[in-house]
Amino acid sequence: MTSRESLLATLTPLLAAESRAEAPAAGVEADDLEQAVWLRLLERLRDDDAPERPADWLRRAVRAEARRARRAHLRERPYRGDPPHDAARTPESSALVSERRRALRAAVRRTPGHCPRLLTAMLHPDDPTYREIAGALGISQGSLGPMRSRCLGCLRRMLAAEVPGPDARGRVP
């Protein structure tokens, strides 16, 4: 057994224990924490920079990864889009989501030029790739991005014109 293999075999139970101890406070799974520290260690070993006191280094690395995970958790915000399909919806929220989709589809149909075909393809429930959309529309894949940007800009301007802005006191008339 090489020195690296013996180092890894020695650190495995210690890393598992440290990860299990730190994970609940960090709000992450112990396995995720353990994996992040293994990655750090293997990167050091790849660069022939093995820690002099591996057990101490491992404890510090686990705590550093736990702090990083806590900071990341504090910065993350939930996505405030449509509720997930499997979430229990109220009839009111279902009606609002359906109305929003109807309004979007109606606005897409009113866009000029090739935009209705492109935006309809992009809104397809199967979530096609750029290659699939370009093939279906008979255009090059390279021109799809700029065309998409123009069409989305047009759609954005159309929708902004339909939504009234707030009056001087911040109220919508």
Side-chain angles (χ1 to χ4, degrees):
M1 190 182 315
T2 66
S3 64
R4 284 184 183 180
E5 290 172 346
S6 65
L7 175 67
L8 296 177
T10 304
L11 293 179
T12 298
L14 179 60
L15 178 56
E18 289 287 331
S19 297
R20 281 193 309 272
E22 292 289 331
V28 296
E29 296 287 326
D31 292 338
D32 292 340
L33 193 57
E34 191 173 338
Q35 184 177 12
V37 175
W38 274 128
L39 183 62
R40 268 190 180 196
L41 179 61
L42 292 175
E43 285 172 346
R44 283 192 70 159
L45 293 177
R46 181 191 65 201
D47 297 334
D48 291 327
D49 185 27
E52 288 183 28
R53 298 173 59 194
D56 292 339
W57 177 89
L58 186 99
R59 287 183 188 98
R60 286 191 310 273
V62 168
R63 289 185 182 102
E65 284 298 325
R67 280 192 307 274
R68 185 199 56 74
R70 273 192 299 274
R71 283 192 308 268
H73 181 71
L74 290 173
R75 286 190 309 263
E76 291 176 352
R77 297 290 176 249
Y79 176 68
R80 301 218 187 273
D82 292 340
H85 293 292
D86 58 346
R89 293 185 184 169
T90 63
E92 294 84 9
S93 67
S94 294
L96 288 173
V97 167
S98 297
E99 181 57 32
R100 245 185 266 135
R101 287 187 181 140
R102 269 193 298 279
L104 177 63
R105 297 251 184 227
V108 164
R109 284 192 298 273
R110 292 191 314 267
T111 55
H114 295 290
C115 292
R117 289 180 56 215
L118 173 66
L119 293 172
T120 301
M122 295 191 86
L123 288 170
H124 196 273
D126 292 339
D127 195 23
T129 64
Y130 266 29
R131 177 177 286 167
E132 294 167 344
I133 293 172
L137 298 178
I139 59 176
S140 71
Q141 188 174 346
S143 65
L144 191 60
M147 183 184 213
R148 173 188 160 270
S149 294
R150 284 191 301 275
C151 292
L152 287 175
C154 182
L155 182 64
R156 191 176 299 114
R157 286 187 299 277
M158 287 174 59
L159 291 174
E162 292 176 6
V163 176
D167 68 2
R169 295 185 183 188
R171 293 188 209 136
V172 176

